C-alpha cells in the first residue's frame, strides 16, 4: 500500500502555488524578507509556514485549526570551530513538496496497522558567504509536525562540531506544562505540573525533592514535554529517530520561547557531524482532544521501517522476576557482605562467605520458575546472578562485571534445563554499572553466553557515572553505544530492555527487538520513598510517546515494611490501579513485579494479570486528561477479548464509558476489578471489589475510581449472541 505522489504534477495547484508564492513574496519583499512557503496537513487542520528573515535566518510557525501553536521561531545550528555558523545568510535554492501515504504493520504494538500519511516540504538553503547547503525537511501529519536538518555531502561542509542547536519553539501563551528537569543523567523524576512561567522558580524544588546529583541548566526541561493551553489545545514536544546525535532538552526563556538544548559530552561538545548526515526529527504533536495525543503514531512514523529481516523471534513477554525483593531490600544482589575483601579476578567465590540474603540462588529462582509456569507467564528475570556486585557497590571500579561468571549458588546449566522443562525463559540481566567500554568489550561473549544457555532477552542497566570519561547519560557518544547494543543484540536475535538509557524516540519501529526501556521514574521508586499518585496519568503523555516503558507494575502489598522492616516506603497506588496499568501503560514487555506470596494472597485480583494480553490488534482511548485520568480499551491480538484500564489522579472520580467498541450483536462476559468506595492510595489501597456481568456494544458503565486508584476490566467473547 505504498503511495507516493509529487504534488507539483498537478498543473492547477502548481499554478495556484506559483500565484500564491508570487503574492506572498511581493508582500514579504516589502518587509525585507522573502520566500514564505506554506504546507498543509492532509486534513487541512495544520498550516506550517516557512520563510527567511531579512538577514537570511530561517524561521517557521505552526497553526492548528487557525490557532497559533508555534509562533515565528528560528531554525539553525551554532558551530564550534567554523567561523560562520549555520544560522543566517541563507537563500532558498529549492523547495520540493511531496505527499506520502502508506500503511505498515508493527511487529508488536497497540494496533495491528499504522497509517503513515503526511505532506512534506523540503527546503534547500544555500549560505551565501560559505556556499554551504543544508536542507530543512518538514513533514506535516494529521496529528502534528516533524522536521529535521539534513547535511548533504558537499565540498564546503564535510564535518563540523555543534556548539548548540538553535531550534526554537515559541509558545503562544503561558501554558500548563507537565515537566521534569533537564537533567543529563536521569529521567527518574516525579513530574511537576505548573505554568511555563513558573518553571524557573520550581526547578530547584523539583531537583531537591528528587535528590538529583547533577548540575543542570536552570530552565531546561526534558522531552517528551506535555502542555495544555488555556484555549483547549494539547501540545507535545519531543524528538523522533535519535540516532548519532545528542538527546534534546528544551530551555525556556522569559518570553515563552523554548530553544533546543543538546546534552553535552564529557568535554562540553554537543555533536560531531560528518556529511552526509541528518539530525533527529523535532516533533510537535497537537490536538484539541487529549486522547489524540495518546493515539498518535507520528513518532514511529518518522522512524525508518524495520531493518530486521526476519522478526519471528521477537515476541511480547509477560514475566515475573527475582527483582522486587532486592529493590525493597528484602534480599540482595550480592553474594557476600565482604565488600573490601572481594577482588574481581582474584577472589575465589566458592570460598567467599555467603551473606544469606542472596536473591538469585538456584532454589529461589526455581520457585519463581514454578510460579511463572503455573500462572501462564513467559519468563523470569533474574538479577544479581553474576559476580561483581560487591566490587561495584564497594569501589565503583570500571571493570567490575564480565556478564558471564555466575555466583556459586546460581547454577546456570541446571536452571537452563529446569526452565526449559517448564516452558519458561530466563531473562538475562546486564548491569553495566555505567562502564560502557567494559560492556562493549564483553558484549559478543555475553550475547553468545546467553544464546548457549537459552536466554533470548536481556535487561541492561546503566546506573552511575558513565566511565571512563565521565560522559553524561544522553550525549552523542553514549547514544551511539545504546544503539550499538540494540543492533548487536539483533544480530544474535536478542531482545533488549535497557534501563537508565536515553528515553525512546520511536526507534523500535526500525529495531523492534528494543521491546522495552525504563528512562523514567518506574515502580522501583515506590520502594525508594514513593511516587506521586497521579504519576501514571502523566507518563503515557510524556515518556510513552517515544516507545514502551518497562514500568514493572503489579504491586499488591503497598506497605513495604511488610517485606523489609527497615524500609518504610509506601506504594502510592491502589491495588485496582496496579491492575489497570497493564492496559494504560502500553508495553510488549509486562512484569508482574510483586512476590509470588503476595499474589497468592489475592488470587481473585491476580486473575486479571494472568488474563491480560501483552499484544494488541486495536486500542481505543476512551477518556484522557494529563495528570487526572486515562481510560483505555485494547483488543487482544488475534482474539475477540478486550481489556479496559482506568488510572486516576488525586481526586476521586466516576468514569462514564460506553462499550461501543465491541462487536455488534455479540455478548461478552465482563469482569470488573475496581476500587471499593472507601479505597484510597494512602489509607486503604487494598480495598477492591470484583463483579461480573454480561455486556454488549450498547452497555454503558459508570465506574468509580478512588484517589490514586482505578479499575481494570476483562471482556471475554462468549461465542453467544
Ligand atoms: C536500576 C534499575 O532500574 C533496576 O531495575 C535494577 O534492578 C537496578 N538498577 C540494578 O541493576
Ligand atoms: Ca532505574
Amino acid at each position: 500500500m505504498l503511495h507516493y505522489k509529487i504534488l507539483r504534477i498537478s498543473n492547477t495547484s502548481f499554478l495556484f502555488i506559483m500565484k500564491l508564492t508570487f503574492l506572498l513574496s511581493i508582500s514579504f519583499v516589502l518587509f525585507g524578507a522573502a520566500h514564505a512557503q506554506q504546507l498543509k496537513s492532509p486534513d487541512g487542520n495544520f498550516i506550517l509556514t516557512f520563510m527567511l528573515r531579512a538577514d537570511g535566518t530561517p524561521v517557521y510557525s505552526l497553526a492548528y485549526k487557525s490557532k497559533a501553536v508555534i509562533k515565528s521561531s528560528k531554525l539553525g545550528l551554532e558551530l564550534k570551530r567554523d567561523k560562520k555558523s549555520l544560522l543566517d545568510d541563507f537563500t532558498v535554492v529549492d523547495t520540493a513538496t511531496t505527499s506520502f501515504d502508506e500503511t505498515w504493520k508493527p511487529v508488536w504494538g497497540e494496533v495491528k496497522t499504522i497509517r503513515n500519511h503526511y505532506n512534506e516540504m523540503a527546503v534547500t538553503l544555500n549560505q551565501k558567504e560559505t556556499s554551504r547547503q543544508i536542507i530543512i525537511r518538514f513533514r506535516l501529519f494529521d496529528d502534528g509536525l516533524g522536521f529535521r536538518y539534513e547535511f548533504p555531502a558537499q565540498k564546503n561542509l564535510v564535518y563540523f562540531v555543534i556548539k548548540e542547536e538553535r531550534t526554537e519553539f515559541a509558545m503562544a501563551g503561558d501554558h500548563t506544562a507537565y515537566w521534569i528537569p533537564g537533567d543529563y543523567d536521569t529521567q527518574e523524576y516525579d513530574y511537576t505540573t505548573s505554568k511555563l512561567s513558573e518553571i524557573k522558580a520550581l526547578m530547584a524544588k523539583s531537583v531537591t525533592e528528587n535528590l538529583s546529583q547533577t548540575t543542570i541548566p536552570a530552565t531546561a526541561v526534558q522531552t517528551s514535554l506535555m502542555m495544555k493551553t488555556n484555549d483547549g489545545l494539547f501540545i507535545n514536544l519531543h524528538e523522533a529517530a535519535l540516532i548519532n546525535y545528542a538527546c534534546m532538552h528544551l530551555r525556556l526563556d522569559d518570553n515563552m520561547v523554548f530553544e533546543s538544548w543538546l546534552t553535552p559530552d564529557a568535554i562540553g561538545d554537543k555533536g560531531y557531524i560528518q556529511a552526509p548526515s541528518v539530525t533527529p526529527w523535532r516533533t510537535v504533536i497537537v490536538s484539541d482532544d487529549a486522547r489524540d495525543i495518546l493515539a498518535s503514531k507520528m513518532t514511529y512514523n518518522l522512524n525508518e521501517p524495520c531493518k530486521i529481516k526476519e522478526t519471528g523471534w521477537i515476541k511480547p513477554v509477560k514475566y515475573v522476576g527475582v527483582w522486587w525483593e532486592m529493590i525493597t531490600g528484602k534480599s540482595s544482589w550480592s553474594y557476600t557482605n565482604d565488600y573490601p575483601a572481594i577482588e574481581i579476578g582474584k577472589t575465589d567465590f566458592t570460598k567467599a562467605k555467603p551473606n544469606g540474603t542472596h536473591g538469585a540462588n538456584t532454589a529461589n529462582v526455581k520457585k519463581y520458575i514454578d510460579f511463572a509456569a503455573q500462572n501462564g507467564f513467559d519468563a523470569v528475570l533474574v538479577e544479581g546472578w553474576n559476580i561483581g556486585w560487591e566490587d561495584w557497590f564497594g569501589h565503583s571500579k570500571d571493570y567490575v562485571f564480565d556478564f558471564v561468571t555466575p555466583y556459586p549458588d546460581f547454577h546456570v546449566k541446571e536452571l537452563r534445563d529446569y526452565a526449559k522443562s517448564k516452558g519458561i525463559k530466563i531473562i538475562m540481566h546486564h548491569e553495566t554499572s555505567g562502564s560502557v567500554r567494559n560492556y562493549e568489550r564483553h558484549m559478543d561473549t555475553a550475547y553468545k553466553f546467553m544464546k548457549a544457555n537459552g536466554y533470548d532477552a536481556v535487561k541492561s542497566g546503566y546506573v552511575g557515572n558513565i566511565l571512563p570519561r565521565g560522559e553524561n547519560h544522553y550525549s552523542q557518544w553514549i547514544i551511539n553505544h545504546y544503539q550499538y547494543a540494540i543492533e548487536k543484540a539483533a544480530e544474535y536475535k536478542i531482545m533488549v530492555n535497557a534501563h537508565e538509557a536515553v528515553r525512546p524516540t520511536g526507534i523500535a519501529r526500525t529495531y523492534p527487538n528494543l521491546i522495552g526501556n525504563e528512562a523514567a521514574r518506574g515502580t522501583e521508586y515506590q520502594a525508594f520513598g514513593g511516587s506521586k499518585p497521579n504519576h501514571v496519568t502523566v507518563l503515557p503523555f510524556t515518556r510513552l510517546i517515544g516507545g514502551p516503558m518497562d514500568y514493572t507494575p503489579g504491586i499488591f502489598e503497598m506497605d513495604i515494611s511488610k517485606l523489609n522492616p527497615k524500609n518504610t516506603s509506601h506504594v502510592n497506588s491502589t491495588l485496582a490501579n496496579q491492575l489497570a496499568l497493564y492496559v494504560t501503560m502500553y508495553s510488549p514487555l509486562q512484569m508482574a513485579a510483586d512476590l509470588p506470596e503476595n499474589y497468592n494472597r489475592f488470587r481473585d485480583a491476580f486473575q486479571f494479570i494472568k488474563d491480560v494480553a501483552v499484544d494488541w490488534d486495536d486500542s481505543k482511548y476512551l477518556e484522557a486528561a494529563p495528570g487526572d485520568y486515562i481510560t483505555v480499551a485494547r483488543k487482544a491480538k488475534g482474539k475477540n477479548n478486550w481489556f479496559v484500564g482506568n488510572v486516576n489522579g488525586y481526586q476521586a472520580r466516576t468514569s462514564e464509558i460506553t462499550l461501543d467498541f465491541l462487536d455488534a450483536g455479540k455478548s461478552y462476559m465482563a469482569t470488573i476489578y475496581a476500587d471499593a468506595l472507601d479505597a484510597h492510595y494512602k489509607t486503604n489501597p487494598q480495598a477492591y471489589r470484583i463483579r461480573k456481568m454480561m455486556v454488549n456494544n450498547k452497555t454503558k458503565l459508570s465506574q468509580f475510581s478512588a484517589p490514586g486508584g482505578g479499575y481494570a476490566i476483562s471482556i471475554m467473547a462468549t461465542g453467544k449472541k
Side-chain angles (χ1 to χ4, degrees):
M1 287 187 75
L2 202 71
H3 163 68
Y4 205 92
K5 79 173 190 255
I6 308 277
L7 278 182
R8 284 190 293 192
I9 54 175
S10 149
N11 279 340
T12 30
S13 61
F14 181 52
L15 275 178
F16 175 72
I17 289 168
M18 285 298 290
K19 274 188 208 151
L20 194 72
T21 315
F22 180 64
L23 287 174
L24 286 171
S25 47
I26 288 182
S27 51
F28 283 115
V29 164
L30 292 177
F31 296 102
H35 295 295
Q37 322 271 342
Q38 285 203 331
L39 183 69
K40 274 192 179 177
S41 57
D43 66 3
N45 282 339
F46 284 97
I47 295 180
L48 167 90
T49 306
F50 172 83
M51 62 179 276
L52 292 176
R53 288 193 182 155
D55 65 352
T57 301
V59 293
Y60 76 107
S61 58
L62 182 69
Y64 172 74
K65 294 186 182 170
S66 308
K67 288 180 182 170
V69 176
I70 309 266
K71 298 198 298 184
S72 179
S73 294
K74 291 190 216 169
L75 296 161
L77 294 110
E78 189 178 343
L79 307 191
K80 187 177 165 186
R81 296 204 198 104
D82 301 53
K83 270 217 304 285
K84 196 166 174 72
S85 286
L86 296 167
L87 293 168
D88 56 14
D89 193 27
F90 287 110
T91 54
V92 173
V93 180
D94 182 48
T95 304
T97 47
T98 59
S99 178
F100 187 80
D101 193 356
E102 69 166 354
T103 300
W104 57 280
K105 282 192 172 147
V107 173
W108 40 258
E110 294 165 273
V111 289
K112 203 197 234 164
T113 55
I114 293 175
R115 188 173 181 197
N116 182 11
H117 187 199
Y118 59 79
N119 291 335
E120 177 178 292
M121 178 164 79
V123 188
T124 304
L125 299 173
N126 181 64
Q127 193 170 42
K128 282 184 266 171
E129 191 187 316
T130 63
S131 296
R132 297 179 301 194
Q133 295 205 344
I134 64 170
I135 297 168
I136 305 177
R137 190 177 300 274
F138 298 94
R139 287 188 181 164
L140 204 44
F141 301 75
D142 288 345
D143 42 350
L145 168 71
F147 63 91
R148 71 177 181 191
Y149 303 93
E150 300 181 358
F151 313 106
Q154 59 197 284
K155 208 169 74 215
N156 294 346
L157 190 66
V158 181
Y159 59 89
F160 56 92
V161 180
I162 299 175
K163 189 166 177 207
E164 191 57 82
E165 184 185 316
R166 298 267 177 221
T167 304
E168 290 181 349
F169 305 84
M171 297 293 103
D174 190 7
H175 308 326
T176 300
Y178 305 82
W179 57 272
I180 57 174
D183 200 308
Y184 299 142
D185 285 304
T186 179
Q187 291 227 302
E188 297 179 1
Y189 281 93
D190 255 325
Y191 285 86
T192 300
T193 304
S194 78
K195 290 281 176 198
L196 292 176
S197 57
E198 294 165 341
I199 291 179
K200 207 179 200 169
L202 291 170
M203 183 66 73
K205 187 165 169 270
S206 169
V207 172
T208 322
E209 275 174 3
N210 286 281
L211 300 174
S212 171
Q213 311 274 307
T214 335
T215 317
I216 50 176
T219 54
V221 294
Q222 302 202 38
T223 74
S224 141
L225 176 70
M226 188 65 213
M227 285 171 283
K228 190 170 84 181
T229 74
N230 284 338
D231 56 357
L233 290 190
F234 296 89
I235 304 174
N236 184 286
L237 302 180
H238 191 36
E239 61 181 321
L242 171 56
I243 304 245
N244 192 17
Y245 204 81
C247 161
M248 179 182 73
H249 293 341
L250 296 170
R251 200 172 52 149
L252 185 66
D253 74 10
D254 293 337
N255 301 314
M256 307 295 156
V257 178
F258 282 112
E259 191 182 59
S260 50
W261 182 265
L262 303 181
T263 304
D265 68 8
I267 57 167
D269 289 340
K270 302 230 163 173
Y272 302 92
I273 306 294
Q274 192 166 2
S277 166
V278 297
T279 69
W281 297 91
R282 279 65 191 90
T283 60
V284 190
I285 304 173
V286 186
S287 179
D288 45 16
D289 184 336
R291 298 176 301 174
D292 295 341
I293 309 289
L294 300 178
S296 171
K297 298 288 174 284
M298 200 183 90
T299 314
Y300 280 121
N301 280 332
L302 287 166
N303 276 268
E304 296 291 315
C306 183
K307 287 196 174 156
I308 300 174
K309 285 201 180 75
E310 197 280 304
T311 55
W313 51 276
I314 301 170
K315 295 199 178 80
V317 181
K318 205 195 284 185
Y319 73 105
V320 291
V322 183
W323 179 72
W324 189 237
E325 52 183 271
M326 281 92 89
I327 292 290
T328 54
K330 183 183 191 304
S331 61
S332 65
W333 282 274
S334 57
Y335 176 70
T336 85
N337 283 341
D338 221 4
Y339 301 154
I342 299 295
E343 277 219 51
I344 295 300
K346 294 198 181 137
T347 303
D348 177 356
F349 269 87
T350 57
K351 298 206 179 84
K353 194 162 132 256
N355 61 13
T357 56
H358 181 222
N361 66 75
T362 302
N364 196 33
V365 175
K366 281 188 176 172
K367 191 183 96 178
Y368 278 86
I369 292 174
D370 290 342
F371 182 79
Q374 281 153 15
N375 294 290
F377 288 85
D378 305 299
V380 176
L381 165 74
V382 185
E383 295 199 4
W385 68 277
N386 57 329
I387 65 167
W389 292 84
E390 291 83 0
D391 211 20
W392 179 35
F393 289 153
H395 307 289
S396 275
K397 285 186 183 158
D398 75 342
Y399 51 82
V400 173
F401 295 107
D402 70 2
F403 314 99
V404 292
T405 311
Y407 281 126
D409 58 347
F410 181 88
H411 302 146
V412 175
K413 298 223 162 5
E414 184 183 338
L415 285 166
R416 174 193 67 189
D417 297 342
Y418 190 76
K420 192 166 180 216
S421 75
K422 302 269 174 173
I424 295 296
K425 289 278 176 186
I426 307 184
I427 299 178
M428 174 50 73
H429 183 232
H430 291 163
E431 175 50 70
T432 68
S433 67
S435 186
V436 167
R437 291 293 297 128
N438 178 61
Y439 189 37
E440 288 177 354
R441 276 192 291 271
H442 287 93
M443 201 174 272
D444 277 292
T445 319
Y447 286 163
K448 279 180 192 149
F449 175 88
M450 284 178 60
K451 289 318 257 192
N453 291 296
Y455 297 78
D456 49 22
V458 61
K459 169 178 172 180
S460 55
Y462 295 88
V463 171
N465 296 332
I466 303 295
L467 305 170
R469 278 209 311 184
E471 287 289 342
N472 296 306
H473 271 73
Y474 312 135
S475 61
Q476 183 187 22
W477 184 80
I478 192 153
I479 299 297
N480 288 344
H481 162 79
Y482 302 137
Q483 189 61 28
Y484 173 75
I486 297 163
E487 293 182 26
K488 191 96 183 141
E491 285 172 22
Y492 286 93
K493 302 197 167 165
I494 286 172
M495 297 181 276
V496 176
N497 164 27
H499 278 226
E500 294 88 28
V502 73
R503 77 282 187 277
T505 53
I507 281 164
R509 177 182 180 193
T510 317
Y511 291 97
N513 66 317
L514 179 62
I515 53 169
N517 269 120
E518 183 189 53
R521 190 183 183 89
T523 300
E524 61 183 5
Y525 279 83
Q526 299 279 22
F528 305 159
S531 295
K532 289 183 180 170
N534 70 341
H535 187 51
V536 292
T537 68
V538 179
L539 284 174
F541 285 101
T542 53
R543 165 60 184 75
L544 270 68
I545 293 293
M549 176 172 179
D550 182 31
Y551 184 72
T552 72
I555 303 304
F556 280 13
E557 180 50 72
M558 314 299 165
D559 177 357
I560 301 303
S561 72
K562 294 243 171 75
L563 284 79
N564 169 15
K566 290 199 197 118
N567 187 341
T568 55
S569 300
H570 178 86
V571 178
N572 291 320
S573 159
T574 68
L575 196 151
N577 173 287
Q578 290 289 314
L579 297 181
L581 295 171
Y582 291 89
V583 187
T584 59
M585 295 283 284
Y586 165 68
S587 176
L589 179 77
Q590 286 287 20
M591 185 180 204
D594 212 334
L595 308 187
E597 44 268 45
N598 288 333
Y599 291 133
N600 287 333
R601 285 165 58 206
F602 303 95
R603 290 297 302 184
D604 56 353
F606 184 56
Q607 187 63 41
F608 182 81
I609 300 180
K610 289 175 64 175
D611 291 340
V612 70
V614 279
D615 202 14
W616 311 97
D617 274 342
D618 203 1
S619 292
K620 305 280 178 199
Y621 305 90
L622 307 179
E623 302 178 305
D628 295 328
Y629 54 85
I630 291 173
T631 313
V632 186
R634 302 193 198 274
K635 183 170 186 273
K637 182 124 234 144
K639 294 196 179 133
N640 198 7
N641 297 333
W642 287 78
F643 295 85
V644 178
N646 162 274
V647 287
N648 192 35
Y650 285 91
Q651 307 298 328
R653 176 174 176 271
T654 298
S655 148
E656 310 283 350
I657 59 170
T658 307
L659 307 184
D660 54 7
F661 44 83
L662 299 176
D663 286 350
K666 289 201 178 135
S667 64
Y668 299 75
M669 171 59 80
T671 310
I672 304 174
Y673 306 76
D675 290 325
L677 290 177
D678 59 351
H680 188 279
Y681 71 88
K682 199 85 198 171
T683 52
N684 199 13
Q686 289 165 328
Y688 63 87
R689 51 189 195 133
I690 300 174
R691 63 186 206 278
K692 285 186 185 288
M693 60 193 271
M694 296 298 289
V695 297
N696 58 33
N697 76 329
K698 303 249 157 46
T699 306
K700 289 188 189 315
L701 272 184
S702 210
Q703 186 58 55
F704 170 80
S705 290
Y711 61 86
I713 314 177
S714 62
I715 306 176
M716 312 296 209
T718 58
K720 291 186 205 135
K721 293 239 166 188

